[in-house]
Amino acid sequence: MDTTQIIGYLAAFGTTISFLPQAIKTIQTKDTSGISLLMYSFFTLGTLLWLMYGIMSGSLPVAVANAITLVFASIILVYKIRYK
């Protein structure tokens, strides 16, 4: 593994793990009042597109990070839609 891949994995870890506290809080409280539905919808779509890009370009750090982030973002989005 070269330096570029290590940086990619560290960046992927940092940005992906940042969603975990919000996902946990949303699940526990079911409170999404401070989250914009439109913004989160676009964010989740963007994450899906980044995942597709990572897969199609063969970039494992991009694909893995966005697959995990997509799960967290989807959980938050579902709660936002369900518990408006």
Side-chain angles (χ1 to χ4, degrees):
M1 188 176 311
D2 65 10
T3 304
T4 302
Q5 283 185 313
I6 292 169
I7 290 171
Y9 280 111
L10 289 173
F13 177 78
T15 56
T16 299
I17 201 71
S18 70
F19 279 86
L20 190 55
Q22 186 65 55
I24 291 170
K25 182 178 179 181
T26 300
I27 290 166
Q28 290 174 340
T29 66
K30 296 179 178 56
D31 178 20
T32 60
S33 60
I35 299 172
S36 163
L37 178 59
L38 184 60
M39 182 282 300
Y40 232 80
S41 297
F42 279 121
F43 175 79
T44 305
L45 176 61
T47 303
L48 174 63
L49 294 172
W50 272 114
L51 170 59
M52 292 169 60
Y53 170 81
I55 292 168
M56 294 169 76
S57 68
S59 176
L60 193 57
V62 172
V64 169
N66 284 285
I68 296 168
T69 302
L70 182 61
V71 170
F72 294 153
S74 296
I75 289 168
I76 294 167
L77 185 60
V78 165
Y79 273 83
K80 178 64 179 170
I81 292 167
R82 190 172 186 186
Y83 299 105
K84 299 190 222 190

